[in-house]
Amino acid sequence: MWSSFWRSRDRFSLDELRYLTDQLQKVQIVNNVNKNFVIETLRSISELITYGDQHDSNYFDFFMERQVMGEFVRILKVSRIVSISLQLLQTTSIMIQNLKSERAIHYMFSNEHINFLITYTFDFRNEELLSYYISFLRAISGKLDKNTISLLVKTQNEEVVSFPLYVEAIRFASHEESMIRTAVRALTLNVYHVGDESVNRFVAKAPHADYFSNLLTFFQKQCLYLNGMVSETLKNLDSDTTTAILNVVDEIEDNLYYISDVISAGIPEVGRLITVNILQLLIFPLLLPSLQLDAVDDIQIGAITSLYLLCCILRIVKIKDLANTIAASLFCPPEAFVPDSETKLNGHAPDHGYEIQQTENKNVIEVDGCSKKILPSLSSSSLVHPEDIISKGVSRLTLRDALLSYITAGDDLQVLSSLSILATLLQTKELDETMLDALGILPQRKQHKKLLQQALVGEDLREDQLFSSGRSFIRDGFSCELDGYLQNLKEQYGVACSSLEVGTSPSVHRFQVLDALVSLFCRSNISPETLWDGGWLLRQLLPYSESGFNNQHLELLRTSRTQDSYKNSTYALLEEARGTWPDLLVTVLRDEWKRCKRAMEAPSPRKELKCMLLPLDKPSFDDVLPNKSSFVAGERMCKVVKVFVLLHQLQIFFLGRALPEQPPTCPPSDIPENSRARNAALDVSGPKLGSELRLVDAVPCRIAFERGKERHFCVLAISVGASGWILLAEELPLKKHYGIIRVVAPLASSDPTIDQKYSRWLHLRIRPSTLPFLDPAKLITHGKAKTKAPVDGRWTLSFMDDESCKSALSMILEEIDLQSNEVKKRLKPLLNHEGAIDVPDASPHPPDDASSSNATPSNSL
């Protein structure tokens, strides 16, 4: 009997649910005495309802019959304890998230209990409570569809007049906590993607439409914050600031992807609101004015950050009207976007504009009484000239001209940023092809397609118009699409574009771009990676086969500055054959050839946009290395190879020929019969520690690798093909003229020098055997910790007499010459192509005074 009396109830039973509900209804006030009981009761009820929804419908029938949701609301009203509010929000969220039946969800949303909880005045000073509340709202939004959303709104005359879920959520859209912002955005997307027309009209009209302008205002603040970080990082680069920039960049890109997701919901009025707000709050007042060539005090953002943001917007926010408006804006002067202008243009006062007066200096214009210097073009043919900028009292220096000027005269980041925006415009599918043609960046293959379409509809156009160098005064040079967007800029945004010359042919603009790119390849202060981006863009603009080239294309190849640049890169490559890393030169050349070919033929530039914000010449190591360091020389060698490979492939490309998979180089030569390597019985695999070799031509010496521990060796210099080594071998006592290899060091960059004071001492510099940054697994990426670079070693060999020291010096220099000549021989087929220089078969010996150069020994014997 007693066991029956104390028998516990089944936890997952209808009796348990009935008991818990009865106990909850008995609670008249919640205080510190019974709060734990109430919390446990709420939690248990949510578990039972979730269980019953999946196993027994009687559970939810009881839930509805006893109006348990009403009890939840009553408990909230009679409690002022935060933990009760937390548990109630969590309980309701769990039930909503886990209920599967449409009947259960419909009941939960069909009364005003949910809306009461949404609009209840919680104390959001408690961060945990706010987090639970936002999770509660997001859980509701996850169950929205065209049937359930109507249960949460109030309508009047078939128009939504109240939608608490949406209105309360967007209050926290700009909250400082990123997790809350993310949850709110997920909720709004759930609302937009329901596709209810009346709800769509509700979110797109005032005052709720302010959400989109507030969203862009918040985004604007993020952009300004990013610009401040970028400016500071360019002055003082370290891993912490770089990581911080990347974090902000990720958040900015996430914001743009959210905007893109909003647009994908397909609400026309929302798309229009986003377009207008992006233009009026970000692009016109902030981004475009920063592109002017002269620094202005009131510019809030730098040109690099501005171009990065423009690229991100074009790549992520897929709105045709937005993309074409940005492109059309490039035909306006930057001054057109500076607000509060009271100057006159052409005798009248527009919304934006400046009075332009010509001065004695053709590179200076008078803007509102202030002299502004104009960056002159470096091109002699088709780029914008200073005398073209001022004509008839009107400024014609457009944003597009500024981009080309950055390419021809800007620094590395400015060049990269300008190339990136042009590449982004070229790849923006939402941009009309006629707009690309007007900008001068319509790819050759698309130009032929456009001509064919025009021919099919009966327009009288010839293919030779594609690259006409003259100026056509036919108005169809620029499309009516561009005219329409320029007119819209003036009428809707008050931006007057008076800089577009009537009747200018697109071919003029196209050759301006081509000429700017050719000028870029002639610049020696630009990083190879940036030049590669320029090469990719040039390849997009020109035809891919020899039949598509004409004489004007070949003129780009024959210009003296192009040829000088290519020859300079060739001479620099030959210098590396006798430099610090000749043994790796051919290998690096072949690797970079494949990488450059892939980059040129890639569908898009391979660099991430965020690279625009980070210094391109970031050191690979923490240490400040001297200029004579082998690692500095290795980085320099890689840059020389990259520049040469790009210019060489462009030479082939200009000739209309296909790029080979590998550069044309000679195979390694056989080991000569009378060489030291053959005499020492070495094969092409090279020396190995502990192996035996013949000591022909080896010179006895002494060296101390540790203080007070002097050792006797025979030094021997050997070159095999492009490789070379300095060997220290211990002579075998029982086998005359044979020894065991104990130490192996690279021959290249050994820089043998006889000590000025002690003529029996020979100093050698010993570099590492390889470069760590050539290993992809060891590449340094932005924001990651750098490694310390090994320091070049120093040997001091002591010989028996002066003659032995000079003999060792002569042997080492001779093998260095053989190694260098072998490298040049392998490069000769590559360098002796059309238009290149002749490579001599042998290089002269260094001057006789090489033995008298200064050196500081690290080991004195």
Side-chain angles (χ1 to χ4, degrees):
M1 181 181 75
W2 291 108
S3 61
S4 176
F5 180 80
W6 291 107
R7 185 170 61 245
S8 62
R9 296 180 306 276
D10 184 2
R11 181 167 175 241
F12 290 99
S13 66
L14 197 57
D15 288 339
E16 178 70 7
L17 178 59
R18 184 177 293 108
Y19 169 77
L20 293 173
T21 304
D22 290 340
Q23 295 301 313
L24 192 63
Q25 288 177 336
K26 294 178 182 179
V27 176
Q28 299 303 314
I29 188 171
V30 181
N31 51 35
N32 290 329
V33 176
N34 64 353
K35 68 175 183 179
N36 291 334
F37 168 77
V38 173
I39 289 173
E40 182 61 25
T41 301
L42 292 172
R43 185 187 63 79
S44 298
I45 289 176
S46 69
E47 288 182 353
L48 287 168
I49 295 302
T50 302
Y51 171 82
D53 181 67
Q54 301 176 17
H55 296 86
D56 188 348
S57 60
N58 290 325
Y59 283 74
F60 204 82
D61 289 340
F62 178 84
F63 182 83
M64 293 188 294
E65 179 184 343
R66 298 290 294 271
Q67 297 186 6
V68 179
M69 272 302 300
E71 289 299 316
F72 286 178
V73 171
R74 185 184 66 82
I75 291 296
L76 181 63
K77 292 178 179 178
V78 299
S79 172
R80 291 295 180 266
I81 300 176
V82 172
S83 57
I84 298 297
S85 299
L86 288 172
Q87 184 59 52
L88 187 60
L89 290 172
Q90 185 184 48
T91 294
T92 311
S93 298
I94 290 174
M95 287 195 301
I96 293 174
Q97 286 175 335
N98 292 281
L99 290 176
K100 303 298 182 182
S101 68
E102 294 183 5
R103 170 172 168 265
I105 294 296
H106 191 275
Y107 171 78
M108 293 289 291
F109 290 177
S110 62
N111 51 60
E112 284 299 309
H113 296 318
I114 293 295
N115 276 340
F116 176 84
L117 294 177
I118 292 173
T119 56
Y120 185 78
T121 307
F122 292 101
D123 184 6
F124 291 130
R125 292 175 296 180
N126 186 304
E127 295 181 0
E128 186 179 13
L129 182 59
L130 176 59
S131 178
Y132 275 74
Y133 176 76
I134 296 298
S135 297
F136 165 66
L137 298 184
R138 184 172 181 178
I140 298 172
S141 73
K143 299 294 183 178
L144 292 179
D145 57 32
K146 288 190 176 181
N147 294 322
T148 57
I149 198 170
S150 62
L151 304 175
L152 297 174
V153 301
K154 291 182 179 180
T155 60
Q156 185 176 348
N157 298 327
E158 297 184 353
E159 292 293 326
V160 175
V161 294
S162 175
F163 189 8
L165 175 66
Y166 181 80
V167 173
E168 295 300 321
I170 62 177
R171 289 173 50 205
F172 303 97
S174 300
H175 195 273
E176 60 183 9
E177 177 58 48
S178 62
M179 295 297 292
I180 292 178
R181 295 198 303 270
T182 301
V184 170
R185 291 175 181 180
L187 182 152
T188 59
L189 290 176
N190 289 336
V191 171
Y192 302 148
H193 283 274
V194 168
D196 187 281
E197 293 296 333
S198 59
V199 172
N200 291 346
R201 290 192 295 272
F202 175 82
V203 301
K205 67 182 180 181
H208 314 297
D210 292 342
Y211 168 69
F212 302 105
S213 60
N214 294 336
L215 175 67
L216 268 298
T217 300
F218 178 78
F219 184 73
Q220 182 190 67
K221 293 178 181 178
Q222 284 186 312
C223 296
L224 293 173
Y225 179 65
L226 173 65
N227 180 70
M229 296 187 66
V230 170
S231 301
E232 184 62 29
T233 301
L234 294 178
K235 299 176 184 176
N236 182 23
L237 178 65
D238 60 61
S239 59
D240 292 337
T241 56
T242 300
T243 303
I245 284 180
L246 296 179
N247 291 336
V248 176
V249 163
D250 289 340
E251 189 169 355
I252 283 177
E253 293 183 0
D254 287 343
N255 290 337
L256 289 175
Y257 279 114
Y258 166 68
I259 293 173
S260 177
D261 290 339
V262 172
I263 294 167
S264 68
I267 307 175
E269 185 61 20
V270 170
R272 188 194 67 80
L273 285 171
I274 289 177
T275 299
V276 171
N277 281 294
I278 289 178
L279 291 171
Q280 291 186 334
L281 297 178
L282 189 65
I283 292 178
F284 290 160
L286 196 65
L287 302 187
L288 295 183
S290 69
L291 300 184
Q292 53 191 314
L293 299 175
D294 294 310
V296 180
D297 293 338
D298 58 353
I299 294 299
Q300 304 179 61
I301 196 168
I304 304 301
T305 309
S306 175
L307 290 171
Y308 161 75
L309 293 170
L310 285 172
C311 288
C312 286
I313 291 171
L314 288 168
R315 289 193 182 188
I316 298 174
V317 183
K318 306 294 186 179
I319 302 178
K320 181 177 181 180
D321 187 54
L322 176 64
N324 284 279
T325 301
I326 292 174
S329 300
L330 298 180
F331 291 98
C332 300
E335 296 85 1
F337 303 97
V338 178
D340 300 327
S341 173
E342 297 180 356
T343 57
K344 294 182 179 180
L345 184 63
N346 287 339
H348 65 279
D351 293 331
H352 304 290
Y354 291 88
E355 182 179 57
I356 309 299
Q357 297 179 358
Q358 188 168 2
T359 63
E360 295 181 1
N361 187 347
K362 291 184 178 182
N363 293 342
V364 175
I365 59 175
E366 290 287 339
V367 181
D368 198 19
C370 299
S371 296
K372 288 184 175 290
K373 187 177 180 181
I374 297 171
L375 186 63
S377 168
L378 297 185
S379 170
S380 60
S381 57
S382 58
L383 285 179
V384 179
H385 295 279
E387 58 269 21
D388 293 331
I389 296 172
I390 303 168
S391 175
K392 300 179 182 179
V394 178
S395 171
R396 290 167 48 206
L397 180 62
T398 65
L399 292 172
R400 177 184 171 280
D401 299 328
L403 292 178
L404 297 184
S405 294
Y406 281 139
I407 294 175
T408 58
D411 59 33
D412 210 353
L413 282 178
Q414 289 173 334
V415 173
L416 175 61
S417 302
S418 296
L419 293 174
S420 297
I421 190 65
L422 292 177
T424 299
L425 288 166
L426 187 149
Q427 294 185 296
T428 301
K429 295 180 180 179
E430 292 72 26
L431 205 59
D432 292 333
E433 289 188 2
T434 48
M435 193 72 73
L436 290 176
D437 201 16
L439 290 169
I441 56 175
L442 181 65
Q444 176 78 88
R445 60 187 182 278
K446 292 186 177 181
Q447 294 171 24
H448 287 298
K449 179 181 177 181
K450 187 184 79 168
L451 282 175
L452 178 60
Q453 292 173 341
Q454 291 173 337
L456 290 174
V457 297
E459 296 185 21
D460 185 19
L461 293 174
R462 302 190 313 275
E463 188 170 346
D464 59 7
Q465 288 178 321
L466 280 174
F467 284 90
S468 173
S469 61
R471 293 174 179 259
S472 170
F473 291 93
I474 303 174
R475 184 53 192 159
D476 60 11
F478 284 104
S479 67
C480 58
E481 287 89 348
L482 176 58
D483 291 337
Y485 282 107
L486 291 175
Q487 186 66 23
N488 185 61
L489 279 173
K490 182 177 180 180
E491 294 177 354
Q492 184 172 354
Y493 303 105
V495 177
C497 176
S498 58
S499 59
L500 187 61
E501 183 179 350
V502 176
T504 303
S505 169
S507 62
V508 174
H509 282 183
R510 188 151 52 246
F511 264 100
Q512 287 178 353
V513 177
L514 294 176
D515 207 7
L517 293 174
V518 172
S519 297
L520 171 64
F521 302 135
C522 300
R523 299 183 59 187
S524 60
N525 60 340
I526 302 301
S527 66
E529 291 78 9
T530 301
L531 294 178
W532 281 20
D533 285 344
W536 178 89
L537 182 59
L538 180 66
R539 182 171 170 81
Q540 301 302 309
L541 301 182
L542 295 181
Y544 288 178
S545 63
E546 184 175 2
S547 60
F549 280 79
N550 58 31
N551 291 333
Q552 289 173 327
H553 293 138
L554 298 178
E555 284 299 320
L556 296 174
L557 171 66
R558 297 192 183 107
T559 57
S560 60
R561 55 200 175 107
T562 307
Q563 289 300 304
D564 289 345
S565 179
Y566 176 65
K567 289 184 177 180
N568 289 337
S569 70
T570 304
Y571 286 127
L573 185 70
L574 287 174
E575 286 294 320
E576 294 298 332
R578 194 178 175 82
T580 306
W581 299 91
D583 45 342
L584 297 181
L585 184 59
V586 176
T587 301
V588 172
L589 179 67
R590 294 172 69 87
D591 291 342
E592 295 299 339
W593 182 278
K594 292 186 290 186
R595 290 182 63 242
C596 186
K597 184 175 185 295
R598 286 198 300 267
M600 294 299 102
E601 297 174 351
S604 61
R606 297 195 296 171
K607 273 189 178 178
E608 296 184 13
L609 288 179
K610 61 186 70 175
C611 294
M612 296 165 55
L613 304 175
L614 303 171
L616 298 176
D617 291 330
K618 183 179 180 182
S620 301
F621 305 100
D622 285 323
D623 311 313
V624 179
L625 301 176
N627 290 331
K628 291 186 178 181
S629 166
S630 63
F631 284 90
V632 174
E635 291 180 331
R636 183 173 60 247
M637 181 264 290
C638 290
K639 291 181 179 180
V640 167
V641 170
K642 289 179 179 179
V643 173
F644 169 80
V645 166
L646 171 66
L647 295 180
H648 188 88
Q649 291 191 4
L650 288 177
Q651 292 278 321
I652 297 175
F653 183 55
F654 278 137
L655 293 173
R657 300 175 184 173
L659 288 175
E661 293 296 327
Q662 293 286 351
T665 57
C666 286
S669 303
D670 296 331
I671 301 177
E673 289 296 330
N674 60 347
S675 65
R676 289 189 175 89
R678 181 75 70 180
N679 293 337
L682 288 180
D683 56 21
V684 292
S685 63
K688 297 179 178 60
L689 291 176
S691 62
E692 185 178 297
L693 82 164
R694 295 176 59 190
L695 300 179
V696 179
D697 293 340
V699 183
C701 66
R702 294 173 297 161
I703 186 172
F705 292 108
E706 299 179 46
R707 184 178 296 276
K709 293 183 179 181
E710 188 176 276
R711 300 179 64 182
H712 292 261
F713 291 107
C714 291
V715 61
L716 181 64
I718 290 179
S719 64
V720 177
S723 301
W725 306 272
I726 296 176
L727 310 179
L728 297 181
E730 283 184 337
E731 188 173 6
L732 293 174
L734 301 180
K735 195 172 183 180
K736 193 174 182 181
H737 303 305
Y738 281 86
I740 301 296
I741 301 175
R742 298 302 184 191
V743 182
V744 179
L747 173 67
S749 186
S750 56
D751 190 21
T753 307
I754 294 177
D755 190 87
Q756 292 183 337
K757 186 175 182 182
Y758 301 99
S759 58
R760 292 182 300 163
W761 288 5
L762 182 65
H763 299 294
L764 300 175
R765 184 177 70 171
I766 306 301
R767 46 140 254 226
S769 59
T770 187
L771 290 166
F773 53 79
L774 293 180
D775 184 358
K778 299 179 181 179
L779 284 177
I780 307 301
T781 57
H782 290 293
K784 294 185 178 180
K786 294 178 286 185
T787 58
K788 289 186 176 295
V791 180
D792 293 337
R794 296 286 175 177
W795 288 1
T796 298
L797 305 179
S798 177
F799 296 89
M800 297 176 57
D801 50 44
D802 293 356
E803 290 302 320
S804 298
C805 186
K806 291 180 180 179
S807 176
L809 172 66
S810 177
M811 172 181 60
I812 294 174
L813 292 177
E814 183 179 343
E815 293 298 319
I816 288 176
D817 279 344
L818 292 174
Q819 181 184 22
S820 175
N821 291 336
E822 172 65 19
V823 174
K824 291 180 179 180
K825 178 182 176 182
R826 294 192 62 184
L827 296 177
K828 191 172 182 179
L830 178 67
L831 303 182
N832 284 353
H833 88 294
E834 297 179 41
I837 65 174
D838 292 329
V839 181
D841 293 329
S843 59
H845 289 280
D848 295 336
D849 60 355
S851 61
S852 62
S853 59
N854 294 330
T856 302
S858 60
N859 294 305
S860 298
L861 302 178

